[in-house]
Amino acid sequence: MALSAYLFPGQGSQAVGMARALAERYPSAAAAMAEADDVLGFGLSTLCFEGPEETLTDTINAQPALLAASVAVLRALDEALPGQPAPAAVAGHSMGEYSALVAAGSLGYPDALHLVRQRGHLMKEAGQRSPGGMAAILGLDVAEVVVVCAQAASLSGGVVQMANDNCPGQTVISGDNRSLELAMDLAHQAGAKKVVRLAVSIAAHSPLMASAADALRQAIEKTPIQPPLMPVIGNVHAQPLLTVDAIRADLTSQLTAPVRWTESMRYLAGQGIERVVEIGSGDVLTNLMKRIERSVDRLAVGDPDGIERWRARSQD
């Protein structure tokens, strides 16, 4: 049987209707969504199933919604495929790291829901306090993007840095509005194939999130966290988080530090992972893996059809 890792999507993968078919088919998935409603005190499941999209996309709602959808998939997999071996490792993109920690037994589901809800609230507040944005850059390597950001920050006297190294030739930058616009212009001049301002009003994974990180640290320190049952590959250093202290530090630092996704996926491949399974809404991470390590088998599981595909492949 192929050695597998589970991957958990972050903000941007939310979509109206996510987890609905799972909840209709599998009682365990329905229970996971109902539990999220009870824990948070509002109809998160209805928001996931029916929208409206603009409300679901609000960072305060998107983060717990994505977590709940991922846990619904995990529960449905356990129900549909009992006795399946645990993944050899897990990883989550940005807030997806919370979902990965739930899967690894480090974070309780209710605690994780409270944390990501607070995380979204704090990030939104930080964005209002320190306005900024993000932009995707296609066709430049990481070193070129780092230089572009340094030049822009020097010219503006502000803040702009690489936020996500998603896959070769695809990065995201983040910063205050003036510095971001300068960096976008410089990226064009450096030969980027495409530069696109993203439809977000916060500068995630940049120093502009420092106030959110400070407040979130206090909440994380009060939350029970257990050592993981399998390696959790952290965003900040692209290495396994093996201790509770390392987990707390990574969850805090990831708000201001870049997501080193390419390195994380190459680490997994280097550890002998033969298949990655994206657990939750969408297929962003499996598509990125195709660009990072094409030899690794990929499967996205977010609905009953995905579970059936996993059932077939799990026999390999």
Side-chain angles (χ1 to χ4, degrees):
M1 183 174 290
L3 199 62
S4 298
Y6 286 0
L7 309 182
F8 296 87
Q11 199 164 338
S13 289
Q14 68 275 356
V16 173
M18 64 184 186
R20 183 171 190 164
L22 280 174
E24 291 172 347
R25 175 79 173 271
Y26 299 104
S28 57
M33 299 304 294
E35 185 177 352
D37 292 349
D38 290 341
V39 168
L40 296 178
F42 75 100
L44 182 69
S45 61
T46 301
L47 187 57
C48 290
F49 300 160
E50 301 176 9
E53 183 176 4
E54 64 181 23
T55 306
L56 177 62
T57 301
D58 188 321
T59 187
I60 294 175
N61 298 320
Q63 296 195 33
L66 285 161
L67 173 67
S70 289
V71 171
V73 173
L74 287 172
R75 302 272 177 88
L77 279 170
D78 286 343
E79 180 181 340
L81 306 172
Q84 281 290 307
V90 295
H93 192 285
S94 192
M95 67 73 37
E97 191 166 295
Y98 290 79
S99 305
L101 288 164
V102 172
S106 283
L107 264 179
Y109 180 36
D111 287 331
L113 284 166
H114 283 303
L115 279 178
V116 295
R117 176 78 165 171
Q118 187 169 1
R119 183 180 187 269
H121 178 73
L122 291 169
M123 290 175 71
K124 187 172 183 177
E125 279 190 340
Q128 293 167 345
R129 189 179 297 110
S130 302
M134 305 175 78
I137 298 179
L138 305 182
L140 296 182
D141 63 31
V142 168
E144 291 172 314
V145 172
V146 169
V147 169
V148 160
C149 289
Q151 291 174 338
S154 177
L155 288 169
S156 68
V159 170
V160 62
Q161 71 176 34
M162 186 181 71
N164 302 336
D165 172 16
N166 284 331
C167 69
Q170 185 189 122
T171 58
V172 175
I173 61 174
S174 180
D176 66 79
N177 290 312
R178 181 165 180 265
S179 301
L180 186 69
E181 292 293 337
L182 276 171
M184 292 170 67
D185 290 342
L186 290 170
H188 278 298
Q189 295 172 29
K193 294 178 181 177
K194 194 172 184 179
V195 179
V196 182
R197 179 83 182 243
L198 301 181
V200 296
S201 58
I202 60 174
H205 302 293
S206 86
L208 298 184
M209 290 290 108
S211 62
D214 289 341
L216 185 62
R217 179 186 294 108
Q218 298 177 32
I220 291 169
E221 288 175 351
K222 295 175 183 176
T223 300
I225 298 177
Q226 305 301 320
L229 300 176
M230 74 278 294
V232 179
I233 313 307
N235 284 193
V236 177
H237 301 293
Q239 293 290 317
L241 304 174
L242 301 177
T243 68
V244 171
D245 285 345
I247 290 167
R248 293 188 196 279
D250 201 88
L251 291 179
T252 301
S253 297
Q254 64 160 220
L255 282 187
T256 55
V259 174
R260 295 166 63 177
W261 194 251
T262 299
E263 292 172 78
S264 296
M265 295 303 98
R266 285 178 173 160
Y267 176 86
L268 286 176
Q271 297 300 303
I273 295 297
E274 301 165 272
R275 174 180 294 148
V276 294
V277 184
E278 186 166 1
I279 303 291
S281 178
D283 58 1
V284 169
L285 302 181
T286 48
N287 287 331
L288 291 179
M289 187 54 129
K290 185 177 181 180
R291 297 278 303 274
I292 297 167
E293 292 288 349
R294 185 177 287 268
S295 64
V296 175
D297 188 34
R298 304 166 301 278
L299 177 65
V301 179
D303 56 23
D305 288 344
I307 289 179
E308 291 310 308
R309 289 192 295 272
W310 178 227
R311 186 194 303 275
R313 290 203 200 181
S314 65
Q315 307 305 314
D316 295 348

